[in-house]
Amino acid sequence: EYHLLRNASFIGRSWIADEQTLEVRNPVDGSLVGIVPNHGADEATFAAAAAAAHAQHAWARTTGKVRGAVLRKWSELMRAHSD
């Protein structure tokens, strides 16, 4: 459903458009699939900062016991998947 597509990126809980765009094409037949914003480093930095701020609020609301369990699990997973 093409009417559901947006020519914007969801960054920092908002839709952000860009004057510069990129065409996305089907590699099989070359047909146009969509057009997306051509965001750069500034938008990526903003998105990362917004995501970190959002995650920090949720993380701060958890108990120390829960945070410890999450960090222990993360440590176990990193060790299990290390070279």
Side-chain angles (χ1 to χ4, degrees):
E1 298 275 344
Y2 287 106
H3 69 278
L4 297 176
L5 299 177
R6 289 184 183 225
N7 186 9
S9 300
F10 195 67
I11 298 175
R13 304 176 91 185
S14 301
W15 287 101
I16 308 293
D18 196 319
E19 290 180 11
Q20 296 182 359
T21 59
L22 297 170
E23 291 184 346
V24 179
R25 297 204 168 264
N26 182 330
V28 174
D29 62 12
S31 64
L32 183 65
V33 175
I35 298 173
V36 297
N38 186 18
H39 292 308
D42 290 342
E43 291 84 5
T45 301
F46 176 77
H54 181 68
Q56 173 57 30
H57 291 299
W59 185 252
R61 287 191 305 269
T62 62
T63 65
K65 184 176 181 178
V66 170
R67 289 193 300 261
V70 168
L71 292 173
R72 270 190 298 284
K73 182 64 177 178
W74 183 34
S75 173
E76 292 169 8
L77 289 169
M78 287 193 305
R79 287 188 187 122
H81 293 89
S82 65
D83 292 337

